[in-house]
């Protein structure tokens, strides 16, 4: 079956522009995660959704970052007034059930590579 | 502050050799330790995972060794193959929290 898909795969933005990154999780997956992966580093947690509820946004680096999952499936990560330090790969992952209380497997998408000039 | 420290940053191994990647953590609340494999242009994919109630888990050529007292765990790739060339990430999580902490990654190059 289809895995996690993300679009666009590459995005070049001028500093100050707003960007929107889309994630299509595996159908039926309850949990959805966004991670930021800087060049040569491991993914860093940004935010977590259980269905449409954003239960943890502790990793969002500033109030310029906003994520939503209004119908509990597709999610969008929006970055307002992009800065050069926002350049990274943004990974989306989903899991069948919520992680809490279980050891669930996260399935990652290919990521969106964002370059802010 | 990095929750999970991974070494080495890069590793070159001859085909057929053993690749060893190490990770260390401080938070004793961590209770799930997965390893992910990432190829260029792809997202990480779960390779193997271990819980702290066992000291070793083996799946094919991949083995996790876990030392709870030392708060360390490692990935061993036996009979390394050129197709194993990828970046490997260790991670840790606390079961009741929906968050994974990743190491900084090890870029493995297996030479034919």
């Amino acid at each position: 079956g289809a895995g996690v898909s993300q679009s666009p795969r590459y995005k070049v933005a001028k500093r100050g522009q707003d960007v929107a990154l889309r994630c299509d999780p595996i159908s039926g997956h309850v949990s959805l995660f966004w991670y930021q992966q800087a060049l040569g580093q491991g993914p860093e947690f940004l935010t977590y959704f259980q269905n449409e509820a954003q239960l943890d946004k502790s990793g969002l680096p500033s109030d310029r970052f906003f994520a939503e999952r209004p119908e509990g499936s597709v999610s969008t990560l929006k970055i307002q007034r992009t800065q050069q330090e926002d350049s990274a790969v943004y990974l989306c992952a989903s899991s069948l059930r919520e992680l809490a209380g279980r050891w669930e497997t996260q399935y990652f998408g290919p990521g969106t590579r964002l370059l802010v000039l | 502050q990095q929750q999970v420290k991974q070494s080495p940053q890069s590793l070159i191994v001859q085909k057929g050799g053993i690749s060893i990647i190490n990770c260390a953590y401080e938070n004793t609340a961590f209770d799930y330790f997965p390893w992910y494999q990432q190829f260029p242009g792809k997202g990480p994919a779960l390779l193997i995972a271990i819980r702290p109630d066992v000291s070793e888990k083996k799946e094919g050529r991949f083995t996790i060794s876990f030392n709870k007292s030392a708060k360390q765990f490692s990935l061993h790739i036996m009979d390394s193959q050129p197709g194993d060339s990828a970046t490997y990430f260790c991670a840790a999580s606390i079961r009741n929290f929906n968050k994974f902490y990743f190491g900084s990654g090890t870029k493995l190059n297996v030479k034919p």
Side-chain angles (χ1 to χ4, degrees):
Chain A
V4 178
S5 61
Q6 294 185 244
S7 61
R9 292 295 311 276
Y10 303 93
K11 177 69 179 178
V12 179
K14 291 183 180 177
R15 189 163 57 92
Q17 266 186 327
D18 296 350
V19 298
L21 312 180
R22 177 186 169 108
C23 172
D24 284 80
I26 295 173
S27 178
H29 276 200
V30 166
S31 296
L32 186 145
F33 307 80
W34 283 98
Y35 290 86
Q36 181 188 60
Q37 186 174 23
L39 188 64
Q41 297 297 314
E44 287 201 15
F45 172 84
L46 292 178
T47 188
Y48 163 69
F49 289 87
Q50 183 176 317
N51 295 308
E52 69 279 2
Q54 189 175 19
L55 299 185
D56 188 341
K57 53 182 181 179
S58 61
L60 296 177
S62 78
D63 58 7
R64 296 186 296 103
F65 287 71
F66 172 77
E68 60 183 4
R69 193 186 185 198
E71 297 177 359
S73 55
V74 172
S75 177
T76 304
L77 176 66
K78 298 179 180 177
I79 309 173
Q80 298 177 325
R81 305 181 303 281
T82 53
Q83 303 294 315
Q84 285 185 323
E85 61 263 28
D86 299 336
S87 295
V89 174
Y90 290 85
L91 293 165
C92 175
S94 70
S95 64
L96 180 60
R97 299 175 295 183
E98 63 273 19
L99 290 186
R102 302 181 176 90
W103 288 287
E104 283 288 317
T105 298
Q106 290 187 55
Y107 297 89
F108 282 83
T112 293
R113 183 175 296 276
L114 173 65
L115 177 62
V116 182
L117 301 177
Chain B
Q1 180 186 359
Q2 197 164 23
Q3 297 269 358
V4 181
K5 295 183 180 179
Q6 183 172 346
S7 62
Q9 188 175 3
S10 62
L11 183 61
I12 299 174
V13 173
Q14 290 295 127
K15 178 183 176 182
I18 303 173
S19 304
I20 302 174
I21 304 170
N22 302 298
C23 283
Y25 64 97
E26 286 299 323
N27 190 343
T28 54
F30 287 144
D31 60 2
Y32 179 64
F33 302 90
W35 283 90
Y36 284 82
Q37 180 187 55
Q38 185 176 30
F39 292 104
K42 305 289 186 183
L46 179 65
L47 191 61
I48 186 173
I50 197 167
R51 304 172 188 178
D53 53 343
V54 297
S55 60
E56 186 175 280
K57 182 174 182 180
K58 184 176 181 179
E59 288 184 2
R61 296 184 294 109
F62 301 91
T63 299
I64 300 179
S65 296
F66 185 81
N67 186 330
K68 190 173 182 178
S69 60
K71 292 184 284 186
Q72 296 176 347
F73 58 110
S74 60
L75 176 68
H76 296 233
I77 306 175
M78 312 300 287
D79 187 26
S80 299
Q81 299 297 312
D84 297 330
S85 297
T87 299
Y88 292 81
F89 294 96
C90 60
S93 70
I94 304 169
R95 187 169 64 165
N96 290 325
F97 292 88
N98 294 291
K99 187 180 295 186
F100 276 54
Y101 297 91
F102 284 81
S104 55
T106 296
K107 189 171 184 179
L108 172 65
N109 184 8
V110 181
K111 293 200 172 291

